[in-house]
Amino acid sequence: MLSSLTRLSASLALFLLTLPGWASPAWAEATAQSLHWGALAFPDHDRTLTLGFSNDSFTEFNGAGQRYNDMHQTDSFNFGTLSWTEHLEQFKGWNANLTVGAGPTQDKIRRAIQNDFAHRLTHQTYVPVGATRDAIDFMTSGTLTKWTGLLGTDDVFFYGIGGAAGSLYYEPYVQIGLRRLSLPGSGPLLSDYVRVSALARYGRPFSGAAFHQVANHSYLGQVSVGVGNYRRNDCDVPWEIEIGLTADSGLFADHRGSSINERFVTIALRYSAVTVETWNDAINQKDYGPTFGARLTLDMLYLYDRLTHF
């Protein structure tokens, strides 16, 4: 195991040394399933290479013992993640992204976060657990995104296609939206520190090894407001606080085969190379199904740039 990690570290270091130029800090695209749990779904505008860890929890029951649908198990997906975005030099304005995640599916992390910490802190009823999934799962996704400007704006508008595949489910999709648009008519202060984003996505999910029954379509809408030092100088440390709301027609189906609508709230904090993001179905006023998730990522390109210019 240690020798494998050593070889992986060496390969990553060699790859980083071949990357030219200054790396603009950016978010990393989330692993595919996290988008249906409420994670920010916006594509990357700049080149990225990030490593991270994510958790997405699906609970069979709520505190009252009600079952979400015909899935008779609780799932907690614990993924090590990698996200890589590159500009396509031959196709101006187009980006390609590859995001992969894999790891053990087991209930220890979810139980510790949801029951032992969050519910104990807020004096909520513990979520009962029956059967749990115990497996090694993975998801991969790829996107092609065109960035463009309209009416004299920066290239904050995007559209593109993507696809997700893995042991959980499969889903091709199309998407369109805007990312970090300054408010029209805003003064210098708002223009420098406040941005809005919005996304609309349509997908066609197919079942996988973990999810044997999924909805036959997916409509996802997301909006967010970010506060950060967007017009910073190169010597400034980047920071951003972003709050997002997601409405999803639902990845999962109910007992009659109809999709189950979901609503999520997301909070993301970024400082320097580190991003912490968490999403929750609290806005739905429920506590079962795709209920909670979080991720921690490290921007390797930004770190490399800071280290080489130290």
Side-chain angles (χ1 to χ4, degrees):
M1 179 67 176
L2 289 177
S3 61
S4 298
L5 290 175
T6 302
R7 289 196 297 270
L8 178 61
S9 301
S11 299
L12 178 60
L14 180 62
F15 176 77
L16 286 173
L17 291 174
T18 66
L19 293 172
W22 179 80
S24 176
W27 295 104
E29 295 194 25
T31 49
Q33 79 286 349
S34 295
L35 309 185
H36 291 293
W37 266 249
L40 295 176
F42 303 106
D44 290 326
H45 178 276
D46 299 309
R47 298 174 66 237
T48 61
L49 178 67
T50 63
L51 297 178
F53 172 81
S54 70
N55 171 269
D56 291 286
S57 295
F58 177 99
T59 53
E60 178 184 358
F61 304 103
N62 65 6
Q66 296 173 305
R67 176 173 278 123
Y68 180 74
N69 64 354
D70 287 335
M71 289 182 59
H72 290 191
Q73 62 182 18
T74 290
D75 299 327
S76 181
F77 304 104
N78 311 296
F79 282 1
T81 65
L82 180 148
S83 184
W84 178 26
T85 298
E86 274 292 341
H87 299 310
L88 300 180
E89 299 298 337
Q90 295 181 335
F91 302 96
K92 183 175 175 57
W94 284 90
N95 285 355
N97 170 269
L98 173 66
T99 299
V100 298
T105 298
Q106 49 187 232
D107 195 42
K108 293 179 181 179
I109 292 180
R110 184 220 53 92
R111 192 186 301 257
I113 295 175
Q114 187 176 38
N115 275 352
D116 297 340
F117 175 72
H119 282 210
R120 176 176 294 179
L121 184 67
T122 57
H123 304 289
Q124 296 182 67
T125 304
Y126 281 18
V127 175
V129 176
T132 60
R133 179 174 174 81
D134 188 3
I136 301 295
D137 284 305
F138 73 96
M139 286 296 291
T140 63
S141 63
T143 58
L144 290 174
T145 304
K146 169 65 174 176
W147 290 90
T148 185
L150 294 175
L151 303 177
T153 65
D154 296 333
D155 53 343
V156 297
F157 296 91
F158 64 86
Y159 58 87
I161 60 173
S167 59
L168 307 189
Y169 66 95
Y170 302 83
E171 182 183 15
Y173 53 83
V174 295
Q175 61 186 10
I176 188 171
L178 55 93
R179 184 64 170 142
R180 296 192 178 101
L181 174 69
S182 60
L183 299 171
S186 60
L189 182 62
L190 286 178
S191 177
D192 290 349
Y193 288 97
V194 178
R195 294 288 188 273
V196 295
S197 303
L199 172 144
R201 170 182 289 188
Y202 170 77
R204 175 61 174 94
F206 296 90
S207 60
F211 303 146
H212 302 298
Q213 183 182 17
V214 295
N216 58 15
H217 65 270
S218 170
Y219 297 97
L220 188 148
Q222 191 170 80
V223 295
S224 76
V225 176
V227 178
N229 57 342
Y230 298 109
R231 303 233 182 242
R232 67 186 184 84
N233 298 316
D234 288 352
C235 61
D236 296 335
V237 176
W239 62 268
E240 184 177 30
I241 303 169
E242 188 168 12
I243 298 176
L245 298 175
T246 302
D248 189 354
S249 65
L251 174 64
F252 301 102
D254 63 17
H255 307 291
R256 297 169 296 179
S258 301
S259 59
I260 305 174
N261 295 335
E262 294 287 350
R263 304 291 184 270
F264 302 99
V265 61
T266 306
I267 299 176
L269 308 175
R270 184 175 189 281
Y271 183 79
S272 185
V274 179
T275 297
V276 179
E277 181 182 348
T278 183
W279 43 92
N280 200 292
D281 66 350
I283 195 173
N284 238 7
Q285 296 185 346
K286 71 176 187 62
D287 203 19
Y288 59 169
T291 181
F292 166 83
R295 65 170 175 154
L296 170 69
T297 61
L298 194 61
D299 187 335
M300 303 303 291
L301 292 189
Y302 181 76
L303 277 181
Y304 173 72
D305 178 71
R306 296 300 94 181
L307 291 174
T308 55
H309 292 82
F310 184 72

